[in-house]
Amino acid sequence: MKIVVYNPDLDDDERTFLSRRLAAGVTQLHVKNSDRFQVGQRILVGEMSRERTEILEVASKTPTTITLDSASIFPHDA
């Protein structure tokens, strides 16, 4: 069996930072700026290759909040 994994380079992708700690099981990310994020876009919460990093999907957004289509599994520090 051959397993192929796609690991895209994320260096040039849009970034923002949590403005407060994120508990597990929440659907809203309070961020510094959500300008260049799009509804339906998958986002990486955490850091690539780190434990407790997860990929979540944007359901809606305001300038400082990203609402997710499903709850986070892990807590994340600001």
Side-chain angles (χ1 to χ4, degrees):
M1 176 190 304
K2 183 177 181 179
I3 298 174
V4 178
V5 178
Y6 176 65
N7 289 320
D9 182 16
L10 301 177
D11 291 338
D12 295 328
D13 286 354
E14 184 62 29
R15 290 177 184 237
T16 192
F17 298 91
L18 296 172
S19 58
R20 62 179 85 153
R21 187 178 185 284
L22 174 68
V26 300
T27 57
Q28 283 195 332
L29 307 178
H30 297 279
V31 296
K32 303 234 181 222
N33 187 342
S34 69
D35 283 351
R36 295 181 62 191
F37 291 89
Q38 302 296 322
V39 171
Q41 177 182 17
R42 290 185 195 154
I43 59 173
L44 183 74
V45 180
E47 293 184 43
M48 182 65 93
S49 77
R50 295 272 176 115
E51 189 175 359
R52 297 188 308 173
T53 295
E54 53 191 317
I55 297 173
L56 300 166
E57 190 170 318
V58 178
S60 65
K61 66 178 194 131
T62 68
T64 58
T65 304
I66 295 175
T67 302
L68 306 168
D69 74 336
S70 61
S72 64
I73 296 172
F74 304 110
H76 297 277
D77 292 328

